Amino acid sequence: MTDLEGKTALVTGSVQGIGLAVAKALAGAGARVAVHGLAAKAEAEAAVNEVRAAGAADVRVFHADMRDADAIGTMMAEIADWGGADILVNNAGIQKTVNLAEADAATWDAILSVNLSGAFHTMRLALPAMAQNGYGRVINIASVHGLVASVNKAPYVASKFGLVGLSRVAALEYAAQGSKQAGGVTVNCICPGWTETAIIEPQVQARAALFGGDRDKGVADLLAEKQPSHRTSDPAEIGALALWLCSPIAHNVTGTSIPVDGGWTAQ
C-alpha cells in the first residue's frame, strides 16, 4: 500500500470524473488533497465530502480558471502556503469535436489554454519545490489522443500531443533529483481510452442517435471502432494507477505515457 501521509496533492479538474477518482485514491492513502474545479458550490462541496470520506487528512477546494495564468499563480501560491504540492495531477481538460475547416480561433485557444498551458503553469511552479524536497510526482492525464490522432479533434489532439511532449521534457530536467529512498521526482502521463466520464457524453449521444437514442448501442459502436477490448474503463482504474505512480517504488518510472485503452494504441 502506498502511504501518502504528510503529502499534499493538487488534482485539477477534480470535482467529477477521472479527477475526482484520482483525488479519492490519493485521499485513501492519507494525502491532503486540494480539490479544484470551476463548479457550483453544491457540486464542489459534494466532491470535498467524497474526498474527505475516502480518507484525506485534509481537503481544500480551489476555483482557479485554468485559462488564466495569473489565477493559476495565485492558486499555486496558496497551496505553497498550505504546505506545497508534493503531488500534482493535471486532469482539467475540455474537448469539442469539430472538423479542421470549421474549428475557430476561440475553440483552439480555449482547448490549448486549459489542456496544455494550464498544465505548463502548474508544473513550472510546482517542480522546483519538489526538487528541493527530493520527492515529487507530476501525473498528467493526457489521452490516447496524445499518442494517436482521430478526425474532428484537431485542437484536442494537438493539446494532448503537446502535453506528452511537455511531460517528457520535464521528466528529463528533473530525472536526477532526489534519491531511490526519498522517491525522486517523476513526471508521467496516463493516456486513457474510452472512459466513463462526462467529457465523452456528447460523442456517446451523437452515436446513440444512429441507433434511435439507444445509449448502450452507441457506446458499443464507439468501442468497436477504436478499443479492441470492447470495454470502457472506470475512472477508479485511472485513480489506482495514479496512486501506484506516487509510490517510492516508481522512482524510475518517468517520462512515460501509459495507455489505459484496451489495446487501442497497440493497433
Side-chain angles (χ1 to χ4, degrees):
M1 295 291 291
T2 302
D3 181 3
L4 298 180
E5 185 176 351
K7 299 289 194 295
T8 300
L10 165 61
V11 185
T12 68
S14 50
V15 295
Q16 63 178 351
I18 289 174
L20 180 55
V22 171
K24 289 165 67 175
L26 302 181
R32 298 191 307 168
V33 180
V35 170
H36 164 270
L38 296 179
K41 182 178 179 180
E43 185 181 15
E45 288 180 350
V48 166
N49 290 338
E50 285 192 48
V51 174
R52 183 175 289 115
D58 194 6
V59 187
R60 285 187 60 181
V61 63
F62 296 85
H63 300 286
D65 187 333
M66 298 304 289
R67 298 168 296 182
D68 185 338
D70 290 338
I72 294 170
T74 298
M75 175 178 69
M76 298 304 291
E78 291 173 349
I79 292 171
D81 290 341
W82 193 39
D86 304 290
I87 298 162
L88 168 63
V89 182
N90 281 305
N91 171 73
I94 58 175
Q95 181 183 152
K96 180 178 179 180
T97 54
V98 60
N99 66 48
L100 192 58
E102 295 177 356
D104 57 18
T107 298
W108 174 267
D109 290 344
I111 291 175
L112 269 291
S113 292
V114 174
N115 296 4
L116 181 56
S117 296
F120 165 75
H121 291 302
T122 58
M123 288 168 66
R124 70 178 179 83
L125 294 169
L127 277 161
M130 293 179 182
Q132 287 182 348
N133 295 334
Y135 171 88
R137 294 292 184 268
V138 176
I139 301 169
N140 292 323
I141 308 300
S143 168
V144 293
H145 288 116
L147 303 173
V148 295
S150 291
V151 298
N152 299 328
K153 295 180 182 177
Y156 186 75
V157 169
S159 72
K160 294 301 185 178
F161 265 73
L163 187 57
V164 168
L166 170 64
S167 302
R168 290 178 179 175
V169 171
L172 291 173
E173 291 186 1
Y174 287 88
Q177 300 298 322
S179 64
K180 182 184 294 188
Q181 292 72 27
V185 178
T186 68
V187 183
N188 293 287
C189 288
I190 298 176
C191 300
W194 292 117
T195 307
E196 292 285 351
T197 63
I199 200 170
I200 71 165
E201 193 59 29
Q203 294 172 80
V204 170
Q205 292 301 322
R207 197 62 64 98
L210 302 176
F211 300 93
D214 189 317
R215 187 179 187 280
D216 289 341
K217 288 185 178 179
V219 170
D221 195 52
L222 282 171
L223 289 169
E225 181 180 293
K226 298 284 190 180
Q227 196 146 309
S229 68
H230 292 188
R231 299 187 299 271
T232 58
S233 296
D234 186 88
E237 298 163 20
I238 310 302
L241 176 54
L243 176 60
W244 182 82
L245 286 170
C246 290
S247 172
I249 201 172
H251 66 96
N252 260 340
V253 181
T254 194
T256 68
S257 301
I258 305 173
V260 185
D261 64 2
W264 182 336
T265 55
Q267 299 177 96

